[in-house]
Amino acid sequence: MSTKTPSEEDILRPINTFTKKYVALYAVSALALGAFLVAWAYQLQQGLIVTGLGDWGSGGGSTWGLYIGAFIWWVGIAHGGIILSAAVRLLGMDRYLPVARLAEMLTLAGLSAAGFYILVHMGRPDRMVTSVLGHFHITVNNSPLVWDVTVITAYFVMTATYLGLTLRYDVHRLRDQLPDYLEPVYKIMTIGYTEKEDEVIEQMVWWLALAVIIMAPLLLHGGVIPWLFSVLPAMPAWTGAVQGPQFLTIALTSAISGVILIAYAFRRAYDWEHIFTDDIFRGLLLWLGFFCLLFLWLQVQQVVNGSFLGPTNKSVATDAKIGHPVYLFSMGLVSATLAYIFAQAIRPSLFSKPRAIVAGLAVLTGTFLEKLLFVVEGFLHPTFDIYAATPGEYFPSIIEWLSLVGTIGMVVLFFLSLSKMVPVVELHAIEHLNEDHAHEDTTAATEQEVKA
Amino acid sequence: MSADDESFHPLGHEAAYEEAKKNAGGFAEMLKSLGGDGEDSRRGVMKKMGAGAAVGIGAWGTTQGGDEPSVSAAEAGGSETTEQGDTQWGMTIDLERCDGCLSCVKACAQENNLDQGVNWMYVLQYEDGGPDSSRNRLVRPCQHCTDAPCEKVCPTTARHTRDKDGLVLTDYDVCIGCRYCQVACPYGVNYFQWDEPDISTEQIEEAHSDTEGHMMTDERGRWVDSRAPRGVMSKCTMCPSRQDGFSGEEKVGTSACEEMCPPDAIQFGDMKRETSDPQRYIDNPARGRALVEMNSSLPSTSGLEENLSGAGSDLESVLEASEDLDEELLTVMKAAEIVTENFGEDDADSVQYEEAILEVFDVLASHGLDLGSQEVLVELELASEPDEDEEFEGADEEAAQEALVDYSGSPSSNFKLLEDIGTNPNVVYFGNEPGPTAHQTETPVAYSDMEADRADGGSIQLVDNRKDVLDEGTVGDFGVSL
């Protein structure tokens, strides 16, 4: 496997092949997205009453639910993706260079899904521009939701710039092997390109990566997204400074899991064993384990502080959390993954790619469920819980579940479509791998051991 | 650091301060000129006002003022309104006088044409671990907080504080239905319009065709009153159409719930005015209660005149002759006058009680009974008999206050809900404050026993838990809960 030399042809294979499996996956994903679009149209026609949501308080419901939970989940995946990619570039972690672009693309896809959720969640999505942008200069001073939209937009622009800049290098060099029908797209992408810019671009990308890393804890999933909840004093299930770091760990675990799944899919589909090597999966898994550990550590902090001794509102909320089967299940998934990663680190023979896939799926399921419950439990156990109808009831309706299926379909479609247009692995990564090959023939033996 | 540096700094600070002041002004001016709502509101006005173009234009003129809360909020970097008006509408609610009849809930539903379960006004009975929970009630309108968290989090300025009178309102033409206000409100007073409301704007307009703004548009031309349209947030408004005088001058300073409360437990008014109903109630709740309670027992002036004809003019004869006036009642009536400055004057609602008392006093005076005399005051125990060498000091306010407390009781405490959260609510409660573990039980009157009439000519049964209504619209109600 690792004896093969990665070539330009390899990374162009997704663009220049067209298989039945591709069509089938495309159709299934389109169907998933289509089904949700129909459901959304129905929701637009009928109103948000088609959801399982309601008014907290005397109304016995939950104001926000799966839409917001899934929104956070997707933003987390997206933010984690760009942090991963930035770390690779900034810290020179060349080992992961082959998956850096996948992580960036995952960021764009995840942000798109999250942005879509904002619209789906609104009572009057038609007013987004007039009401939100029209008052931006006032509301940005106060509203965490406006900070949120601002930062998500900023990150979308940054990531798209980042990806666009690095793609120029590849597209220019591989132009002859790219399909002609996309000529206009490539022309726009490489407009004004000269080889002299490479060095400048490299510096720009480094600075962008630095900005991403610095802003990650301050603004991304360590900042504005948790602040949506953590700054509200009357909802003890949400409030508190731990939410910032907690959300950041969720973003990173989710994103690494996402990258593992996507990288594995590409590896299988296009015989990229020599590009997405076992070594990369093992490394990603270790990082996943590290962030799972942080995730669980912060969960323990919350639960211990909430349940040891009052105040009443906090202990009611914490008791409800630790007794909730969904919470226990999601913590169980992350704990089991951590245990597996720890075990395979000690005993390498326990590693296999299917197991890595299961670990990734387990973490993504765990973080999704944790986020869904997190959003809802704020409404179920507010400080002012005098109402007989509080805690209220909430279970996502079919339309809400369909939104999850639909956005997953949307993200898969995003990758399927993008992979037909541009290389999902950087040319730099191939060049780098080939350099390594020249130097590291002697280490091939160790890689053989690792093979599952 | 050199001497030059030292001398430079203070100057530098001063210059920077001046510069900042200039910029602040410039920024505010810029914001004012940006005033994003103009076009929207104007269209809204035209739509709502229909042919009443003159009215529409008048409202358009004031729309500029309508932007001010947002502007000042931006200037202050917070949601607090810095350029506050002279009025702050608010309430006192005497929970010990509330009998849980739900009249206020019904009145609100009728006034605003609310859907089932949209209980802008909500009344609940609760248990709080004590031995007797029969008086544990909470009446919960929107608290119209001075530092409203719902407004702070709003991504659109739809949720705003009206500058002129501090009402916290939702501009139905601006709200995007993100529901963050409902998320941030500690009290749970918000109700989202999940589907098309039962009563159309046309029906409301028709029912209030003579009313300026049709009970929907306020004097700034913004659609903030009555039930919300689909997809936006609603909550108790404290009746802006009334406060703007659109329902007649006599309705200014009243709310639908207050008006319909049989035991008069709700006092609505200007929290910034010392002589308003709520402030008078806060100053002296025993007096406020006594006025309400004795009002129903006051003798009619004609009946009293009839009773008194031919009777003697001393206290004993008067009390003996009159059927409906006993010593206790007369004592409390006089006590109320003693403790009140400007008794029977001013325009608070409670003044009508005072006027009724004064009318009775007039009858007694013309009969010859001098209620201010030493003899009568001492007899009523509202003054102490002076020693031989002392002069009579007149009525004793403390004794009068005691008489009022004896008559109507004094509330165990007064409080604002969740005051420690820093919302600065404008509703003041009298009675027991629910503790952190208090939980709702059944009200003496069930919500389903109440019917509210609406603008379409029909009526609906009130619903306590709105989820029961909303579940009918859920696509795929799994019947389970997270």
Side-chain angles (χ1 to χ4, degrees):
Chain A
M1 282 167 114
S2 55
T3 52
K4 270 206 285 182
T5 309
S7 64
E8 288 183 2
E9 201 182 308
D10 282 331
I11 63 168
L12 288 167
R13 201 172 304 129
I15 301 172
N16 296 325
T17 55
F18 195 66
T19 63
K20 277 183 189 161
K21 277 184 186 167
Y22 177 89
V23 175
L25 185 57
Y26 203 99
V28 169
S29 306
L31 197 69
L33 178 60
F36 175 60
L37 289 178
V38 171
W40 186 35
Y42 184 68
Q43 178 184 298
L44 288 172
Q45 189 197 36
Q46 297 293 313
L48 282 158
I49 193 162
V50 301
T51 64
L53 298 165
D55 307 288
W56 84 264
S58 77
S62 177
T63 314
W64 289 351
L66 187 145
Y67 289 157
I68 292 292
F71 160 80
I72 301 171
W73 188 64
W74 278 123
V75 177
I77 291 173
H79 285 172
I82 192 68
I83 292 167
L84 198 73
S85 151
V88 168
R89 294 185 194 284
L90 201 64
L91 307 177
M93 297 158 78
D94 292 340
R95 181 186 185 186
Y96 301 105
L97 204 54
V99 295
R101 183 168 286 166
L102 280 184
E104 289 152 23
M105 289 176 166
L106 184 60
T107 298
L108 291 185
L111 287 182
S112 305
F116 186 34
Y117 262 117
I118 293 180
L119 288 179
V120 169
H121 164 84
M122 298 279 160
R124 291 296 304 260
D126 54 311
R127 290 181 179 164
M128 274 295 281
V129 174
T130 51
S131 287
V132 178
L133 289 186
H135 301 95
F136 182 85
H137 56 288
I138 298 163
T139 52
V140 76
N141 293 295
N142 308 309
S143 177
L145 208 54
V146 177
W147 306 343
D148 203 69
V149 173
T150 309
V151 168
I152 288 178
T153 310
Y155 271 85
F156 193 94
V157 172
M158 277 175 83
T159 310
T161 308
Y162 200 95
L163 190 60
L165 289 177
T166 52
L167 274 172
R168 285 162 72 86
Y169 179 90
D170 294 21
V171 170
H172 178 74
R173 280 165 183 75
L174 299 170
R175 180 62 199 90
D176 294 342
Q177 299 156 73
L178 294 169
D180 287 337
Y181 69 95
L182 287 171
E183 176 64 20
V185 178
Y186 300 132
K187 263 204 167 134
I188 293 170
M189 286 177 70
T190 54
I191 203 160
Y193 180 86
T194 61
E195 289 190 8
K196 270 190 267 172
E197 80 176 34
D198 290 347
E199 202 182 327
V200 180
I201 297 287
E202 206 170 311
Q203 282 174 14
M204 283 174 74
V205 166
W206 188 89
W207 283 104
L208 274 171
L210 182 67
V212 166
I213 292 292
I214 292 172
M215 286 159 89
L218 297 179
L219 286 181
L220 286 175
H221 233 63
V224 294
I225 309 288
W227 290 339
L228 273 179
F229 304 91
S230 68
V231 297
L232 302 177
M235 301 303 196
W238 294 340
T239 194
V242 76
Q243 296 306 346
Q246 177 76 81
F247 271 52
L248 194 57
T249 62
I250 295 169
L252 290 163
T253 49
S254 308
I256 294 172
S257 302
V259 169
I260 289 176
L261 296 186
I262 292 165
Y264 182 72
F266 274 101
R267 171 174 155 148
R268 259 192 75 142
Y270 301 110
D271 300 327
W272 281 353
E273 296 83 1
H274 54 310
I275 298 175
F276 295 159
T277 57
D278 283 5
D279 182 48
I280 289 181
F281 285 99
R282 290 176 57 86
L284 285 174
L285 213 50
L286 273 180
W287 280 108
L288 179 61
F290 176 66
F291 290 118
C292 281
L293 183 63
L294 291 184
F295 170 82
L296 290 170
W297 170 56
L298 293 169
Q299 289 288 346
V300 168
Q301 297 298 327
Q302 285 184 71
V303 165
V304 169
N305 280 280
S307 57
F308 182 72
L309 185 67
T312 312
N313 58 353
K314 186 80 186 163
S315 50
V316 167
T318 308
D319 284 353
K321 184 201 273 283
I322 54 182
H324 202 291
V326 170
Y327 182 72
L328 297 174
F329 180 62
S330 69
M331 292 306 117
L333 285 174
V334 178
S335 304
T337 307
L338 178 61
Y340 163 68
I341 292 171
F342 187 58
Q344 64 88 41
I346 297 173
R347 190 179 289 243
S349 65
L350 286 174
F351 171 81
S352 78
K353 284 177 299 298
R355 283 178 191 164
I357 294 300
V358 171
L361 284 173
V363 167
L364 282 170
T365 311
T367 52
F368 174 78
L369 290 176
E370 196 275 339
K371 276 299 54 99
L372 175 62
L373 185 68
F374 175 81
V375 169
V376 175
E377 65 190 355
F379 303 107
L380 300 189
H381 306 289
T383 297
F384 193 63
D385 74 344
I386 192 168
Y387 301 105
T390 305
E393 291 176 354
Y394 170 70
F395 197 79
S397 73
I398 288 173
I399 291 182
E400 291 171 270
W401 286 116
L402 265 180
S403 74
L404 187 62
V405 177
T407 45
I408 291 173
M410 181 176 147
V411 168
V412 174
L413 281 180
F414 184 91
F415 273 98
L416 288 177
S417 305
L418 215 56
S419 68
K420 283 277 172 255
M421 296 164 74
V422 291
V424 297
V425 175
E426 274 181 72
L427 201 50
H428 275 309
I430 300 300
E431 290 163 2
H432 181 77
L433 279 173
N434 286 339
E435 270 170 43
D436 279 0
H437 259 277
H439 295 288
E440 292 175 14
D441 272 348
T442 44
T443 59
T446 42
E447 284 212 12
Q448 289 294 340
E449 264 174 49
V450 163
K451 200 176 73 176
Chain B
M1 193 187 278
S2 72
D4 281 345
D5 280 341
E6 296 226 8
S7 62
F8 173 73
H9 272 285
L11 272 176
H13 285 161
E14 217 164 66
Y17 175 67
E18 286 306 317
E19 185 66 15
K21 272 208 298 192
K22 261 189 276 169
N23 285 343
F27 184 51
E29 285 311 307
M30 183 188 82
L31 292 181
K32 274 181 190 157
S33 66
L34 276 172
D37 276 333
E39 200 52 40
D40 273 358
S41 305
R42 189 178 178 201
R43 235 183 290 125
V45 168
M46 293 310 185
K47 202 169 70 196
K48 309 284 146 26
M49 297 291 171
V55 175
I57 288 160
W60 162 237
T62 55
T63 302
Q64 302 307 324
D67 284 336
E68 276 178 26
S70 313
V71 171
S72 47
E75 220 175 333
S79 68
E80 306 93 301
T81 307
T82 47
E83 298 166 27
Q84 283 169 341
D86 300 330
T87 307
Q88 172 64 61
W89 295 121
M91 286 177 178
T92 57
I93 302 178
D94 192 336
L95 300 171
E96 289 172 4
R97 288 199 56 75
C98 171
D99 58 7
C101 69
L102 306 187
S103 298
C104 54
V105 182
K106 172 183 163 170
C108 179
Q110 293 191 159
E111 174 106 350
N112 296 293
N113 285 291
L114 304 178
D115 283 358
Q116 283 185 307
V118 182
N119 299 316
W120 286 0
M121 178 55 121
Y122 190 74
V123 176
L124 58 93
Q125 181 97 22
Y126 64 89
E127 266 171 12
D128 204 3
D132 175 23
S133 61
S134 60
R135 295 181 89 184
N136 286 347
R137 279 191 199 99
L138 187 66
V139 180
R140 189 236 59 199
C142 168
Q143 308 289 304
H144 288 264
C145 309
T146 298
D147 296 302
C150 57
E151 176 180 332
K152 201 176 174 100
V153 301
C154 177
T156 68
T157 71
R159 181 57 60 83
H160 65 283
T161 301
R162 198 160 77 153
D163 237 15
K164 75 162 189 171
D165 56 12
L167 289 186
V168 178
L169 301 169
T170 315
D171 190 325
Y172 296 153
D173 283 323
V174 175
C175 176
I176 55 170
C178 72
R179 311 191 286 289
Y180 201 12
C181 49
Q182 187 178 96
V183 173
C185 172
Y187 310 102
V189 307
N190 290 278
Y191 294 84
F192 186 66
Q193 194 58 44
W194 299 94
D195 61 350
E196 204 59 47
D198 297 346
I199 308 298
S200 68
T201 43
E202 288 76 23
Q203 285 166 329
I204 298 173
E205 200 173 320
E206 210 174 297
H208 301 285
S209 52
D210 298 336
T211 312
E212 195 177 325
H214 307 309
M215 299 297 279
M216 291 185 282
T217 316
D218 74 353
E219 67 170 27
R220 302 164 304 165
R222 294 172 80 167
W223 185 10
V224 295
D225 205 358
S226 285
R227 100 286 180 276
R230 187 177 85 175
V232 309
M233 192 58 80
S234 79
K235 65 160 188 68
C236 154
T237 58
M238 286 195 175
C239 304
S241 296
R242 286 173 181 245
Q243 313 323 332
D244 289 345
F246 294 169
S247 303
E249 275 312 306
E250 72 282 3
K251 300 272 185 184
V252 176
T254 69
S255 66
C257 51
E258 171 205 41
E259 216 171 53
M260 298 300 282
C261 175
D264 214 352
I266 302 172
Q267 306 292 329
F268 181 90
D270 181 3
M271 304 303 273
K272 284 188 179 169
R273 240 182 69 196
E274 267 180 47
T275 55
S276 72
D277 285 310
Q279 279 305 344
R280 281 163 177 245
Y281 212 89
I282 291 167
D283 284 349
N284 193 343
R287 188 199 81 99
R289 285 180 172 186
L291 282 176
V292 178
E293 279 179 31
M294 71 177 119
N295 190 52
S296 54
S297 336
L298 289 184
S300 73
T301 49
S302 56
L304 187 60
E305 274 166 4
E306 218 171 281
N307 288 162
L308 292 179
S309 68
S313 64
D314 61 306
L315 182 62
E316 206 176 326
S317 314
V318 165
L319 291 175
E320 214 165 279
S322 60
E323 275 171 33
D324 299 328
L325 189 65
D326 59 15
E327 188 172 337
E328 190 197 14
L329 181 58
L330 185 61
T331 306
V332 186
M333 288 163 68
K334 187 63 192 169
E337 190 195 23
I338 292 167
V339 301
T340 310
E341 244 180 274
N342 306 323
F343 194 71
E345 290 166 30
D346 235 310
D347 57 357
D349 292 342
S350 56
V351 169
Q352 59 183 332
Y353 298 136
E354 299 171 4
E355 283 167 352
I357 291 170
L358 286 175
E359 279 170 28
V360 175
F361 286 175
D362 284 346
V363 173
L364 296 175
S366 56
H367 184 68
L369 180 68
D370 180 4
L371 284 173
S373 68
Q374 175 179 341
E375 187 197 342
V376 173
L377 286 174
V378 170
E379 185 64 33
L380 294 176
E381 290 178 31
L382 292 172
S384 42
E385 182 118 39
D387 291 337
E388 270 175 32
D389 52 342
E390 279 176 352
E391 232 176 275
F392 179 57
E393 286 176 345
D396 179 352
E397 277 200 36
E398 263 175 51
Q401 183 65 30
E402 255 173 59
L404 291 169
V405 172
D406 284 348
Y407 180 71
S408 61
S410 191
S412 40
S413 64
N414 77 49
F415 63 93
K416 292 180 178 181
L417 268 185
L418 305 181
E419 212 174 355
D420 56 334
I421 287 180
T423 52
N424 286 316
N426 283 299
V427 176
V428 177
Y429 290 96
F430 291 91
N432 289 329
E433 178 169 13
T437 55
H439 211 66
Q440 184 176 359
T441 55
E442 274 178 29
T443 22
V445 177
Y447 278 76
S448 53
D449 289 345
M450 299 296 283
E451 277 202 10
D453 300 329
R454 296 192 299 182
D456 61 350
S459 65
I460 47 152
Q461 224 175 26
L462 295 185
V463 169
D464 186 352
N465 186 342
R466 192 183 186 196
K467 193 78 170 59
D468 297 339
V469 181
L470 295 180
D471 279 347
E472 288 166 25
T474 302
V475 174
D477 181 4
F478 295 89
V480 287
S481 178
L482 272 181

